[in-house]
Amino acid sequence: MKLHQIRNATLILEYNGKRILIDPMFAPKEEYPPITKKAWPFFDLPMSPKDIIKNIDAVIITHLHIDHFDKFAQDILPKGIKIFVQDLFDKNALEKEHFNNIEIITSEGVDFEEIKLFKTDCIHGIKAVVEPFFLANGMRWEAMGVVFKSDNEPVLYLAGDTIWYDGVKEAIDIHKPKYIILNTSGAEVGMSEKIIMNTEDIKELHNYYAEGILIGSHMDNVGHAAISRADIRQSEVNEYIYLPADGELMYLE
């Protein structure tokens, strides 16, 4: 198994011989207006979008926020490429953009080329607090995580845009992953309300499931991030989470 950290939440997972692109955001540096102080993404992609999508077998889009799927990815991806989404709403939205090979991942699992994909739940921030902000900006609150299983690879859990809560515990209890990818920039909206994990969430997860190998993603490229890789490396949680650099390729056994 190989995991290629591209930028932000964009990853390529090579799993059971298949190359799966996750949450493609291909905007050039500083394309989007400031959320707080400056335009974002803060850094360029480590390679061209054309190179990123080369030999991709499928795409997983955990939700349709711009930092997980943007117009630049939409324009370059082939319309017939296999895409997995969280629900019918997102499927319909992509079909309106002329993508025509879309499947919904379920909690019971769907099959893809001898890989089983399971949807897991997320809390993308406390719903009553952050959903009005999302809706006011034309975004949905809903997001998903995904568990990857096959006979030839260890179990991997992509937790997605979520904070630490009982649904993450449940996914861990059910699937017993060896590797867990966490979105860990502590991104915030509104009145400093976190919508993905921060250092405290990482600590809670590790304390609950110390045998999990943690990998931190969704770092250093969005305007609403509250913590950076440097912040995590200077904290106690640095001992039990690995933070790949943009462009870094990891070999996972």
Side-chain angles (χ1 to χ4, degrees), residues 74-244:
Q74 177 181 304
D75 288 346
I76 197 170
L77 285 170
K79 298 305 181 185
I81 196 167
K82 182 73 174 181
I83 299 178
F84 292 96
V85 296
Q86 64 173 328
D87 58 18
L88 184 60
F89 186 98
D90 284 6
K91 182 175 185 287
N92 289 340
L94 290 179
E95 286 177 342
K96 290 178 181 177
E97 303 301 331
H98 309 293
F99 291 99
N100 55 43
N101 188 9
I102 306 166
E103 186 170 355
I104 298 168
I105 303 179
T106 67
S107 58
E108 293 78 22
V110 299
D111 294 311
F112 174 64
E113 301 286 350
E114 299 183 357
I115 301 169
K116 196 86 170 183
L117 303 172
F118 298 85
K119 176 183 176 179
T120 64
D121 292 333
C122 294
I123 284 185
H124 201 352
I126 302 302
K127 187 174 185 179
V129 178
V130 303
E131 188 175 37
F133 174 89
F134 284 154
L135 293 176
N137 288 276
M139 300 182 292
R140 300 174 72 210
W141 174 78
E142 289 80 4
M144 71 169 174
V146 181
V147 170
F148 300 77
K149 291 184 178 180
S150 80
D151 292 337
N152 305 310
E153 301 277 17
V155 178
L156 183 143
Y157 171 31
L158 174 75
D161 268 14
T162 188
I163 59 176
W164 172 248
Y165 83 113
D166 285 346
V168 177
K169 293 181 184 178
E170 182 178 356
I172 290 170
D173 292 343
I174 291 171
H175 297 289
K176 299 292 190 295
K178 180 175 181 179
Y179 295 100
I180 306 177
I181 302 171
L182 304 175
N183 292 344
T184 51
S185 65
E188 297 177 350
V189 297
M191 300 296 290
S192 298
E193 183 67 30
K194 68 180 178 182
I195 55 175
I196 60 176
M197 293 193 187
N198 60 15
T199 51
E200 188 59 36
D201 295 275
I202 298 167
K203 182 178 179 180
E204 292 284 346
L205 193 156
H206 171 73
N207 289 341
Y208 184 76
Y209 190 64
E211 57 267 48
I213 299 172
L214 306 184
I215 299 168
S217 186
H218 204 317
M219 299 300 300
D220 292 351
N221 271 290
V222 293
H224 56 314
I227 57 175
S228 65
R229 289 185 180 105
D231 294 327
I232 292 177
R233 288 179 179 134
Q234 293 169 10
S235 74
E236 64 177 297
V237 304
N238 184 58
E239 297 178 8
Y240 41 80
I241 188 168
Y242 183 71
L243 302 172

Side-chain angles (χ1 to χ4, degrees), residues 5 20 45 107 228:
Q5 171 69 50
I20 302 171
L45 288 166
S107 58
S228 65

Side-chain angles (χ1 to χ4, degrees), residues 47-58:
M47 63 194 71
S48 72
K50 185 179 293 186
D51 287 336
I52 293 170
I53 69 170
K54 186 177 180 180
N55 299 323
I56 290 297
D57 296 297

